[in-house]
Amino acid sequence: MSTFLIEPGAKLANRYRLDQVVSETGGATRWKATDETLARPVAVWTFTEGFPRTSEVVRAARATSRIPDARVTQVFDADDTTPVPYVVEEWVIGSSLSDLLSQGPMEPERAAGLVAEAAEAIAAAHAGGLYHLCLTPSKLMWSSGGAVKVTGIGVDAALLGATVADPGAVDAQGLGNLLYAALTGHWPGGPQSGLPAAPQGSAGPYPPGQIRQGVTEPLNTITTRAALPQLAGQMVPGPPITTPADFCAAMAEVPRLIPLPVSPAESSPPPEPGTSRRTGELDTTGSGPRRSARSNGTRGTAVSHSASAPRAERPAPSRMDQRAARDQASPRKVVVGVVAVVLFAAVVVGAWTLGSMMQSDDDPATPSADSADDSANDAAEATALEITDSRGLNPHGNTDEHSENAPLAWDGAADTAWNTQGYRDPLDMIKPGVGLQLDLGESREIHVVDLDLGGEGYEFEIRVGDADGNSEDDYEVVGSGSGSSQEVVLDEPADGQYVLVWFTSLPQNGGDYRGSVNEVEVRGIE
């Protein structure tokens, strides 16, 4: 009988220091630990004396370490011959799918990209004779380094002693469930990992296309065939998807977004760390989701990928962090700035006083109060112009800026809004801007654009044109603004059929940079 005491601070193999318990599963305990030899965080499984499946878990972990796919959580060590058997795995820092869905369903293309990556990892495991059998939103991770990671392959089934007659069908349905959750924010079959149960009909959960608008027909069909096989051939065309390889083949024709890095901030340990997400670039080639250059996986067939080295605990500072560090003012800079402002003000006051003394009372250059108020009077006389159509404008990206929701910006209801896409980094670090285009039906004389925006932190331009352009350069800049909601009065009236609200900076909202227009009104002369 071992006298080793398993508690925080204990050390295994003279290198793995157990720091804190993350979860417990029927006699098996998962720890966040530190590999003191390589100075990195790791996850460690330990087992109570008499745990009946210790040897099976260790064998599964060793087999998992041989899967040639970087999206499978790495196994660093496993030993059942020591007084305290253990398994040492990669500690993944990032967001689980349940974390990503905490603010609502994902965009369909991003959901497709994330789950397609997981499907290829599962297919690679099946090719090596290993299965998952326990796929849930907490098992699909989007790491801070920009890689998709699937945790628990081989090990979870061994921990639970799970055996099934058709593991391919179980994992294919699990992948379908993940895609269903990513598209709808619901889990088919009941609550799971903080997600509510999917709405049910007489035949079971409704297909995702009936729960959420915007789910494309191909994604609705694939998800239903995998997650709801009883509806395949009835509510959607095609037979049930019964293997991960078949799931990968179906997803190969679906456009999706590349997963890109998220911030490296960790959440509290139980059950997994979590943080925010980042947008990517649309893949419309049909060849599958392309990997970022910063990702630690490589592309190939669904079952052939090269492994990568384990990641360090903390990646290099993001561009946003570097920019914030550069922008932070030192005390000396503040003092110099104050002195400069005082000197400048003194020069301006002196120049104005001297000019007033030299200028005669009847100087024709002296502005009149009437001329100064011309713009204000024009604005007061302007009336609301009818908006006949609208769309999102994203000339520097491959995704649509939610054009289907653009009418919500001028529907007269302040509790509905058009939103931009969410961006991981400040907008000016990614592209010149994004916009909301308003169609007035015909050319009008425009005096005022009144914006009700969601929050502070905006910088934008008002652009006007007569052509239905696909670039901001097709419109003339006639005004600008910053901050929050405001009424932009144009210095000079502008003629045009189209008004473009062009955002060059967006506020941070829940980890992303995202803009909202609750209501917009264009006023001018009919």
Side-chain angles (χ1 to χ4, degrees), residues 174-510:
L175 290 167
N177 291 342
L178 293 177
L179 186 54
Y180 191 106
L183 291 170
T184 68
H186 293 80
W187 188 258
Q192 177 63 250
S193 302
L195 299 181
Q200 298 257 348
S202 58
Y206 291 113
Q210 295 185 18
I211 297 176
R212 182 190 176 199
Q213 292 183 347
V215 176
T216 64
E217 186 55 39
L219 281 177
N220 180 65
T221 298
I222 293 169
T223 308
T224 303
R225 290 173 58 202
L228 311 171
Q230 72 276 13
L231 302 182
Q234 300 179 26
M235 299 194 70
V236 297
I241 294 175
T242 56
T243 69
D246 289 343
F247 189 93
C248 291
M251 293 295 289
E253 302 301 322
V254 179
R256 61 256 200 185
L257 294 172
I258 309 169
L260 292 177
V262 293
S263 67
E266 275 189 82
S267 67
S268 56
E272 294 291 345
T275 177
S276 65
R277 68 181 185 272
R278 175 183 177 148
T279 61
E281 183 178 335
L282 187 63
D283 172 13
T284 57
T285 63
S287 61
R290 296 167 291 169
R291 306 284 300 176
S292 165
R294 285 184 283 178
S295 173
N296 67 346
T298 58
R299 296 294 304 167
T301 65
V303 296
S304 177
H305 299 265
S306 63
S308 66
R311 294 183 177 275
E313 178 174 10
R314 295 194 182 276
S318 68
R319 290 179 296 166
M320 185 174 66
D321 295 334
Q322 293 170 356
R323 183 186 181 194
R326 290 197 305 267
D327 290 345
Q328 187 170 1
S330 68
R332 180 175 179 176
K333 290 180 180 178
V334 172
V335 172
V336 172
V338 170
V339 172
V341 169
V342 171
L343 291 175
F344 177 75
V347 171
V348 171
V349 171
W352 179 84
T353 303
L354 182 60
S356 298
M357 294 172 61
M358 296 176 64
Q359 186 176 36
S360 64
D361 293 340
D362 59 350
D363 190 340
T366 304
S368 68
D370 292 339
S371 63
D373 291 337
D374 282 347
S375 295
N377 291 337
D378 288 343
E381 295 174 1
T383 59
L385 302 176
E386 180 184 5
I387 300 172
T388 62
D389 201 1
S390 56
R391 64 185 174 104
L393 194 66
N394 184 16
H396 305 284
N398 293 324
T399 56
D400 180 72
E401 290 291 330
H402 297 306
S403 291
E404 73 278 5
N405 294 329
L408 298 178
W410 46 278
D411 62 353
D415 58 347
T416 61
W418 168 82
N419 297 311
T420 70
Q421 300 279 351
Y423 294 95
R424 168 65 185 87
D425 285 334
L427 190 61
D428 61 0
M429 298 176 68
I430 303 171
K431 54 187 172 182
V434 296
L436 173 66
Q437 184 216 62
L438 308 171
D439 184 353
L440 303 181
E442 59 182 296
S443 187
R444 301 285 190 178
E445 183 180 302
I446 300 161
H447 292 253
V448 181
V449 177
D450 196 354
L451 289 166
D452 178 5
L453 303 175
E456 300 280 350
Y458 291 90
E459 292 182 10
F460 60 89
E461 297 169 342
I462 304 298
R463 294 172 175 251
V464 172
D466 273 316
D468 186 9
N470 290 317
S471 169
E472 74 275 20
D473 294 331
D474 297 327
Y475 308 81
E476 178 186 358
V477 179
V478 297
S480 63
S482 62
S484 60
S485 304
Q486 60 184 274
E487 180 183 74
V488 180
V489 179
L490 308 189
D491 292 336
E492 295 290 340
D495 294 325
Q497 178 176 342
Y498 299 95
V499 176
L500 176 63
V501 183
W502 182 250
F503 293 101
T504 57
S505 182
L506 299 174
Q508 192 169 20
N509 183 0

